[in-house]
Amino acid sequence: MAGQPRPAYAIFQTRDVEAGNIVWYLKVIWHHDFPDEPVGILSEVGEDRYEVRKVEVFRGGRLDWADEFAVESEHNVGRGACASA
């Protein structure tokens, strides 16, 4: 469909050796023409499937970020659990 945003994503799983739990990393590449929206999103998702922190990548190289303690972005970390992969 011409003109429609098309996301592409990858999911990576690893184990946090120090804490002993599983951590997920999501990488989303968003193909769109919206100048004020990110073209990439990197998220860390905890074992409880809640987003812990994220980085939003914009055209031109601007990076915004958020975690459970601070926000340098228009978007907070997610408030709901992520869907199963």
Side-chain angles (χ1 to χ4, degrees):
M1 292 189 255
Q4 294 293 319
R6 299 178 326 277
Y9 62 92
I11 301 172
F12 304 93
Q13 176 183 345
T14 188
R15 182 169 293 281
D16 181 343
V17 176
E18 292 181 22
N21 56 1
I22 295 173
V23 180
W24 296 88
Y25 294 95
L26 307 175
K27 179 180 181 180
V28 177
I29 299 171
W30 190 16
H31 303 280
H32 63 77
D33 295 323
F34 306 120
D36 297 330
E37 295 293 332
V39 293
I41 302 171
L42 306 166
S43 295
E44 179 180 332
V45 179
E47 196 164 30
D48 60 0
R49 304 199 75 74
Y50 280 80
E51 191 174 47
V52 176
R53 63 184 56 91
K54 73 176 168 188
V55 176
E56 296 174 329
V57 181
F58 292 82
R59 286 185 177 89
R62 185 179 106 214
L63 301 175
D64 287 356
W65 62 271
D67 64 19
E68 58 189 314
F69 305 109
V71 177
E72 287 294 329
S73 170
E74 293 180 23
H75 307 103
N76 293 325
V77 293
R79 303 233 185 256
C82 293
S84 296

